[in-house]
Amino acid sequence: MIGEEKVKNDYNTVGDDIKSYGFGHRQVQIFLIFTIMSMGYVIRTSMSVSVIAMTDTSNNSTFWEVYEWDKKTQDYILSSFFWGYMIMQIPAGQMTQKLGGKILLVCAMVANGLIFLALPIAIRMGGWKAAFVLRALQGLTQSCMMPSIHTLLGKWAPVNERSRLGNFVIAGGPFGTIIGMPLSGFLCQHYGWPVTFQLIGAMAITMGFIWFWFGSDSPAKHQKISNEEKLYIQTSLGQTSKPKILKTPWKSFATSVPFWALLCTHIGCNWSFVTLLLEIPSYMKMALGINMQQSGLYSAMPFIAMWLFGMFISVVADYLINQKIFTITTTRKFCNTIGTWGTGSGLIILSYIPTSNVIWCLTILTVSVGMSSACNVGLMMNHIDLAPNFAGVMMGITNSISNAIGVFAPISVGQILKDTSDPIQWRMVFFITVIINSAMNLVFLIFGSAEKQDWNEPELLEDVEFEERKLNENIKSEQLK
């Protein structure tokens, strides 16, 4: 408590200098986290384009081997990432609490890069089963990314900048997709799918070392940050100069209604996102008849819209909060509803447009996926709203469960799509996605909240309980006398 008072007093002493503090080291750290997030999604999405080249029997190029994997096998390979991804989410959240996010992100990037370098040889030797195992290992190593990133955001993003800085980082996902899909399509078309894995693997390893040299776990651990900026960040977030390792309030998580509401909408959004992320290249090639190289470019268009709209909605969200037009809770629900029900409305319209009308299909798909980025300012920031001290642990829990359920999204698509060119079967895929996502957002609208929870500071609560017990013991002692 004394440390926190000192921070507040120092902040008041500096006064307007801190309140007007502009560009600083926090933006540099946010940019570095953004690059890690982007690289993670380049790795994640490149397979959905590469697998088309790996199974394109109509291509007689000598650049690469072609495998006769049916759609169900392809979807098993695509889903294998998420089988590994969901396993370590909760342990990773605990590890970030103790070790910080920096070292885990370094390990994740380097490991993913090495696995990608090994993929071409492994597939030649072991076929689709080798691809399944290695992609699952990539998911396993990437499972620490979101808990680590949310832990870092909880340390680096001041409250009045949270929507913008947080969304900028989360927008690394669609930005990485924008890069990954066209890049993969180009490399597969001109140099062969093995080169795709080799180049992206080398990029990931390089990114890991860059983050190792320039990244930092918190303002308190940063070597070059000014005292003014450090105080600005720490005061906004209620941090002390000496960060503590807090005891995770598991019971509070289990009994918190806002946390359960957050979990529900995370499940719905993840089901929708995984479906769109993995199936857009197939939809464009099989249903719309766009060739593979074009598929990589056109597949990125919805994620370009997602990135741009995410930038816009994050500024709007911060404006609504800072001008006190909406409360933080209302802003989170408003944005999340745009991201879920807005996207759902677009997919329903898309399912009734004839696939022969390629331009309209691409337009509606692009707008629909673009609106989904509003969830980045909704549910993704809600972890930090509820408990910035445990944002990484909470993200580990909700991301683990949502991916455990979301892993069945591509599998269900494989079961439904017996004829990948049939628009009726694609309509069924879209309708299932809309129903799940919309229902889960309704739970968030009714029960969700963005108020900081009392259990965000369990040590302080324990101190109060200790003092109360001590007082009661003194009273009883006096009564006995």
Side-chain angles (χ1 to χ4, degrees):
M1 294 295 290
I2 294 175
E4 291 182 9
E5 283 299 322
K6 184 180 186 306
V7 170
K8 292 178 182 178
N9 291 336
D10 289 344
Y11 176 79
N12 292 331
T13 300
V14 178
D16 293 334
D17 291 336
I18 288 184
K19 294 176 184 177
S20 61
Y21 202 95
F23 185 85
H25 285 281
R26 69 190 183 283
Q27 284 93 347
V28 175
Q29 292 300 309
I30 292 298
F31 178 76
L32 288 172
I33 301 169
F34 164 82
T35 59
I36 291 289
M37 185 77 170
S38 300
M39 194 68 242
Y41 271 78
V42 170
I43 293 169
R44 189 179 303 192
T45 58
S46 59
M47 179 62 85
S48 60
V49 175
S50 298
V51 76
I52 296 174
M54 296 164 71
T55 56
D56 187 3
T57 55
S58 64
N59 195 315
N60 297 319
S61 173
T62 58
F63 280 135
W64 63 84
E65 298 87 344
V66 175
Y67 301 94
E68 295 183 356
W69 299 336
D70 59 20
K71 186 66 173 70
K72 187 181 294 186
T73 301
Q74 295 175 41
D75 284 323
Y76 273 120
I77 294 171
L78 294 177
S79 69
S80 64
F81 178 94
F82 299 96
W83 285 98
Y85 188 65
M86 67 182 178
I87 293 174
M88 283 292 292
Q89 290 283 329
I90 296 176
Q94 284 291 92
M95 291 169 67
T96 58
Q97 207 58 23
K98 297 178 180 179
L99 303 176
K102 175 179 176 177
I103 189 65
L104 293 181
L105 290 181
V106 171
C107 293
M109 282 295 99
V110 174
N112 269 256
L114 292 174
I115 291 171
F116 245 21
L117 292 177
L119 257 172
I121 297 174
I123 292 174
R124 289 192 187 103
M125 296 175 63
W128 75 268
K129 293 181 180 178
F132 183 96
V133 171
L134 288 183
R135 283 291 286 176
L137 286 175
Q138 282 192 314
L140 190 70
T141 55
Q142 276 204 35
S143 62
C144 67
M145 281 188 59
M146 291 307 294
S148 297
I149 285 171
H150 268 66
T151 297
L152 292 167
L153 284 173
K155 303 293 185 183
W156 280 103
V159 173
N160 62 315
E161 301 176 17
R162 181 173 294 160
S163 295
R164 280 168 291 171
L165 297 182
N167 178 75
F168 181 76
V169 168
I170 303 302
F175 185 79
T177 305
I178 292 167
I179 296 172
M181 285 186 169
L183 177 63
S184 299
F186 175 81
L187 292 174
C188 286
Q189 186 79 6
H190 295 283
Y191 300 101
W193 59 263
V195 175
T196 303
F197 296 135
Q198 291 161 0
L199 177 61
I200 293 176
M203 289 168 59
I205 294 172
T206 302
M207 191 64 65
F209 283 109
I210 290 174
W211 174 244
F212 176 77
W213 286 111
F214 298 105
S216 181
D217 282 317
S218 68
K221 293 183 178 181
H222 199 284
Q223 299 293 325
K224 298 182 180 180
I225 191 171
S226 67
N227 289 330
E228 289 83 2
E229 186 180 10
K230 185 188 298 184
L231 288 172
Y232 167 61
I233 298 170
Q234 291 178 332
T235 303
S236 174
L237 300 175
Q239 298 173 356
T240 62
S241 297
K242 295 181 179 180
K244 300 176 182 179
I245 298 177
L246 302 175
K247 182 179 179 181
T248 304
W250 296 107
K251 183 178 179 181
S252 298
F253 291 163
T255 57
S256 172
V257 173
F259 177 71
W260 280 99
L262 172 60
L263 172 60
C264 285
T265 193
H266 199 160
I267 291 171
C269 286
N270 194 67
W271 182 285
S272 175
F273 184 70
V274 169
T275 300
L276 294 173
L277 182 72
L278 299 183
E279 300 302 335
I280 281 177
S282 293
Y283 174 74
M284 291 193 174
K285 183 176 189 296
M286 307 299 183
L288 303 184
I290 299 173
N291 69 41
M292 190 193 66
Q293 185 177 2
Q294 290 176 322
S295 178
L297 177 61
Y298 288 138
S299 295
M301 287 173 54
F303 298 96
I304 295 174
M306 190 178 182
W307 183 57
L308 293 175
F309 186 74
M311 295 295 112
F312 167 76
I313 197 68
S314 65
V315 174
V316 171
D318 272 343
Y319 178 81
L320 293 174
I321 293 170
N322 294 332
Q323 297 299 316
K324 302 187 185 303
I325 298 172
F326 285 171
T327 64
I328 298 178
T329 297
T330 302
T331 302
R332 298 293 180 240
K333 292 181 178 181
F334 171 71
C335 293
N336 213 67
T337 300
I338 293 175
T340 53
W341 293 359
T343 300
S345 299
L347 290 180
I348 291 173
I349 295 171
L350 176 65
S351 67
Y352 285 99
I353 296 178
T355 53
S356 58
N357 198 330
V358 176
I359 298 299
W360 270 107
C361 286
L362 286 175
T363 301
I364 297 300
L365 181 63
T366 298
V367 173
S368 300
V369 176
M371 286 191 292
S372 69
S373 63
C375 292
N376 294 344
V377 189
L379 79 92
M380 299 302 273
M381 292 301 102
N382 195 226
H383 299 79
I384 307 173
D385 294 327
L386 295 178
N389 285 331
F390 301 103
V393 179
M394 292 169 64
M395 173 54 71
I397 296 171
T398 63
N399 216 25
S400 175
I401 296 174
S402 64
N403 277 283
I405 296 173
V407 74
F408 294 102
I411 295 176
S412 68
V413 172
Q415 295 294 328
I416 294 170
L417 286 176
K418 306 301 181 184
D419 180 1
T420 54
S421 63
D422 186 354
I424 303 299
Q425 294 181 18
W426 279 106
R427 183 182 301 166
M428 292 176 61
V429 170
F430 292 146
F431 264 67
I432 291 172
T433 301
V434 171
I435 291 170
I436 293 174
N437 201 4
S438 298
M440 292 303 185
N441 181 65
L442 182 61
V443 176
F444 183 67
L445 285 176
I446 297 172
F447 298 107
S449 173
E451 297 295 324
K452 185 185 291 186
Q453 303 298 293
D454 293 338
W455 39 266
N456 179 58
E457 300 176 27
E459 286 189 348
L460 297 181
L461 292 177
E462 290 172 5
D463 291 342
V464 171
E465 292 170 358
F466 175 78
E467 293 296 333
E468 289 178 349
R469 288 196 301 270
K470 187 175 180 180
L471 179 61
N472 290 333
E473 289 173 0
N474 290 337
I475 292 174
K476 290 180 180 179
S477 177
E478 290 294 328
Q479 289 174 346
L480 288 175
K481 291 180 180 179

